[in-house]
Amino acid sequence: MLKNKLSSVLLASGLMAASALSQAAEVVNVYSYRQPFLVEPLFAEFSKDTGIEVNMVFAKKGLSERLEREGQLSPADLVLTTDISRLMNLVEKDLSQPVDSQSINNDIPAQYRDPEGEWFALTKRVRNIYSTKRSDKPEGITYDDLADPKYKGKICTRSGKNAYNVGLVAAYVAHNGEEATKEWLQGFKENLARRPQGNDRAQVKAIKEGVCDLSIGNSYYFGKMMT
């Protein structure tokens, strides 16, 4: 795989690892799940500060498959990914290698670093619970409550296969165990107002239209929808 390269896998976006790993290089090749307009300003600042050029390959999906095909000939030095499921997919396919960098260890808290040095997390987000503004608006609702029968027919969500929801379920397993998660998911499913569909913002639109009262969506969508 990429064992002949200073490759690492990052969750979210940033250039700390690239900076630490490539001071002597003239070019860093980045494979990114993050859209160009989000990360190019960071790349520009990085190049300005270090003199290192950044070449980026962007794709919404399929980067791990591309890395597998390229094998030892892959030009990739760094992968920027957007969620824990894609991150672990890269690690489990042996497409990354450990990196031991003192600057990374100093700048990134231990809870955001893989113990084996395979990845480094630079930002985090929440799967928010969005709710109706109508008179029956629930107060103080939690993830656990989404399986409560009192919300039967009141919840909208995107596909459970979506990486964001996979990450949420994985976190639920980590905190509560597999059996409790299965029970929670069954209750959640029974409370759906419709078949899972659309993206996170589509669920909030469904609340506005009266299709449901509750939905789940990433925290940054709130700001995006407000503007």
Side-chain angles (χ1 to χ4, degrees):
M1 302 302 178
L2 302 182
K3 297 306 181 183
N4 62 328
K5 310 187 76 64
L6 291 176
S7 60
S8 63
V9 181
L10 279 77
L11 174 62
S13 59
L15 291 173
M16 290 183 184
S19 177
L21 301 174
S22 307
Q23 290 297 329
E26 295 181 355
V27 177
V28 172
N29 296 306
V30 178
Y31 283 14
S32 176
Y33 282 107
R34 301 303 293 165
Q35 297 179 66
F37 79 93
L38 294 174
V39 294
E40 283 176 346
L42 299 176
F43 295 160
E45 287 296 316
F46 172 77
S47 296
K48 179 181 177 181
D49 291 342
T50 66
I52 300 171
E53 180 184 351
V54 179
N55 292 329
M56 183 182 69
V57 172
F58 163 72
K60 289 186 177 180
K61 57 183 179 179
L63 287 180
S64 64
E65 291 78 8
R66 176 169 177 163
L67 287 168
E68 285 184 300
R69 291 194 304 269
E70 293 173 341
Q72 291 285 348
L73 298 179
S74 177
D77 298 303
L78 182 74
V79 176
L80 294 177
T81 187
T82 56
D83 55 78
I84 192 67
S85 60
R86 283 176 174 160
L87 175 69
M88 295 312 300
N89 181 48
L90 289 163
V91 174
E92 290 170 358
K93 287 184 175 182
D94 198 28
L95 296 173
S96 64
Q97 67 175 337
V99 173
D100 184 13
S101 166
Q102 191 59 49
S103 62
I104 289 176
N105 294 340
N106 289 339
D107 292 338
I108 301 177
Q111 65 265 36
Y112 305 130
R113 288 186 272 115
D114 175 49
E116 304 301 323
E118 296 275 353
W119 54 264
F120 314 94
L122 302 184
T123 63
K124 63 179 181 177
R125 59 193 171 201
V126 175
R127 290 294 280 164
N128 281 348
I129 298 175
Y130 292 89
S131 66
T132 180
K133 294 178 66 175
R134 294 181 285 273
S135 60
D136 55 346
K137 177 180 179 180
E139 298 291 342
I141 191 170
T142 67
Y143 290 140
D144 292 340
D145 294 332
L146 296 176
D148 192 315
K150 70 181 179 181
Y151 294 118
K152 187 175 180 63
K154 296 186 176 181
I155 299 175
C156 289
T157 185
R158 70 192 303 167
S159 170
K161 296 180 180 179
N162 178 265
Y164 302 151
N165 282 341
V166 170
L168 173 61
V169 173
Y172 206 94
V173 170
H175 285 282
N176 301 289
E178 291 187 11
E179 289 304 315
T181 302
K182 289 180 181 179
E183 183 178 348
W184 175 71
L185 284 172
Q186 185 61 43
F188 183 92
K189 179 180 178 181
E190 293 173 357
N191 287 343
L192 294 180
R194 65 180 184 181
R195 186 181 181 86
Q197 58 191 268
N199 57 23
D200 282 357
R201 283 174 287 175
Q203 314 315 313
V204 177
K205 291 178 181 178
I207 292 176
K208 178 183 178 182
E209 294 165 357
V211 176
C212 46
D213 291 342
L214 299 166
S215 72
I216 297 178
N218 284 349
S219 51
Y220 55 79
Y221 285 120
F222 178 78
K224 195 165 187 176
M225 288 185 291
M226 289 295 289
T227 58

